[in-house]
Amino acid sequence: MTVTKRNVKFHAHGLQIAAILNVPELAEDKKQNPAIVCVHPGSSCKDQTAGIYAEKLAELGYVTIVFDASYQGESDGEPRYVEYPASRVEDIRSAVDYLTTLDDVDEDRIGVLGICAGGGYAVNASMTERRIKAVGAVSVANIGRGYRENDPIKMLEQVALQRTAEARGAEPLVVQWIPNSHAEREEAGMTELDLVQAVDYYRTPRGQSPNSPNKLKFTSVDSIIAFDAFHLAETLLTQPLQIIVGGVQGAFGSYKDGHELYNRAASVKKDLFVIEGASHYDLYDRPEPVNKAVEKLGAFYKENL
């Protein structure tokens, strides 16, 4: 199905959010179409993996919207390069707000899809955003869990020192999410599968984007550490839920998080689909695993939206 891509903006907590709206052929004629909010991973942007899924789902007939997180990419917000989980969740709610203003969207048929940390944010938003009727999560990661596994108290003490320094006039500390190249990674002796593939996706022509500059304002790490994407899932996450993970496990933990989410979710209708032979980052853009994921998601949204 032919898809029309439109650059749009919507408002979230006082900021303008840059987004791409994907409109399937004949959607305007049909009016009342189902729609899906697509949420990018941490450090990512609308032009990368979330954009791939948004376009493929639009080809199946869904109006989709994918956006740069507040303070990142082409979206507004100062300071730059911060990762505030609360803002990321509010971005999703605001994207739903925007969809409800469109004449060709059925406000009672809105779903969400998140990839990696975006999957965790999508889950968290859905617990309190009841306009979201179906929840999809690919290579889902609980970003707070990941940061809490690496001496969180020491890191919080470092954040405290840095905040004091910046309050007294020091330059803001901006760090890298991952090594900037394979050469830098190899020099540091980093050989873990997910990290190798993260560098390959984000820092090579495979997936590199100027809207994903591999920068993180260090002092925002405190809010990441305190965030549990799955908190209250046992009580509040009741929508139909489709989780998709790769069977090849890496240190970033999406396989583990996917299983934990499945076990914790209160959803009566829930499914965990493991794509054997695929890794976390294979599900970002590799044609065969992505097509398997989209086929599963297409059937899920068709049934639940």
Side-chain angles (χ1 to χ4, degrees):
M1 183 180 296
T2 302
V3 174
T4 300
K5 302 173 79 69
R6 303 174 185 165
N7 291 318
V8 301
K9 291 187 176 181
F10 61 88
H11 292 281
H13 39 88
L15 304 175
Q16 277 204 322
I17 305 302
I20 299 170
L21 186 71
N22 298 282
V23 183
E25 184 182 18
L26 305 179
E28 292 182 355
D29 295 334
K30 293 179 181 177
K31 304 296 182 184
Q32 303 308 296
N33 297 278
I36 300 170
V37 177
C38 297
V39 189
H40 68 66
S43 85
S44 190
C45 66
K46 63 184 181 306
D47 311 292
Q48 295 173 322
T49 181
I52 293 172
Y53 279 88
E55 187 167 352
K56 287 183 175 294
L57 289 170
E59 290 170 356
L60 297 180
Y62 299 93
V63 175
T64 63
I65 189 167
V66 58
F67 55 90
D68 288 340
S70 300
Y71 311 100
Q72 301 173 25
E74 295 179 315
S75 291
D76 287 351
E78 294 289 344
R80 303 303 294 169
Y81 316 126
V82 295
E83 181 79 4
Y84 291 147
S87 296
R88 292 279 255 135
V89 170
E90 185 61 25
D91 289 344
I92 297 168
R93 296 193 187 102
S94 299
V96 175
D97 289 343
Y98 175 77
L99 288 175
T100 65
T101 70
L102 303 180
D103 291 338
D104 50 3
V105 168
D106 184 343
E107 66 183 56
D108 294 319
R109 300 172 70 197
I110 296 175
V112 68
L113 171 66
I115 298 94
C116 189
Y121 292 132
V123 163
N124 194 268
S126 299
M127 293 188 211
T128 53
E129 180 48 83
R130 307 313 295 185
R131 293 173 298 178
I132 294 175
K133 305 302 184 184
V135 183
V138 173
S139 290
V140 59
N142 185 345
I143 189 171
R145 185 272 310 156
Y147 273 75
R148 286 189 294 274
E149 289 180 349
N150 295 294
D151 199 345
I153 299 302
K154 180 180 179 180
M155 190 171 294
L156 288 169
E157 289 171 346
Q158 291 171 342
V159 168
L161 291 172
Q162 184 60 31
R163 287 186 67 100
T164 296
E166 291 180 20
R168 293 172 176 168
E171 286 294 313
L173 176 60
V174 176
V175 297
Q176 298 174 185
W177 288 84
I178 57 174
N180 257 324
S181 66
H182 279 303
E184 184 178 305
R185 174 189 60 75
E186 290 167 0
E187 185 176 346
M190 299 176 176
T191 59
E192 194 282 320
L193 173 69
D194 277 351
L195 184 58
V196 171
Q197 293 192 353
V199 174
D200 195 63
Y201 180 77
Y202 284 114
R203 308 312 299 162
T204 75
R206 173 184 165 192
Q208 198 165 15
S209 169
N211 290 324
S212 173
N214 193 32
K215 294 180 179 181
L216 173 66
K217 191 173 188 296
F218 180 68
T219 53
S220 67
V221 168
D222 55 1
S223 60
I224 300 174
I225 289 173
F227 179 69
D228 177 6
F230 304 158
H231 179 57
L232 298 179
E234 301 88 344
T235 303
L236 299 180
L237 185 61
T238 60
Q239 297 98 320
L241 173 65
Q242 178 64 65
I243 305 165
I244 300 175
V245 297
V248 178
Q249 299 184 50
F252 289 2
S254 59
Y255 182 91
K256 176 173 64 177
D257 283 343
H259 283 75
E260 179 184 346
L261 175 59
Y262 178 81
N263 290 329
R264 289 179 60 176
S267 309
V268 174
K269 294 177 68 175
K270 58 182 177 180
D271 180 68
L272 173 60
F273 181 51
V274 179
I275 299 181
E276 297 297 343
S279 67
H280 181 108
Y281 285 95
D282 288 338
L283 282 164
Y284 276 38
D285 67 336
R286 298 300 190 197
E288 185 177 351
V290 169
N291 288 338
K292 288 180 180 178
V294 170
E295 181 180 4
K296 190 72 171 178
L297 290 165
F300 168 73
Y301 290 121
K302 183 177 181 180
E303 181 180 347
N304 294 292
L305 289 181

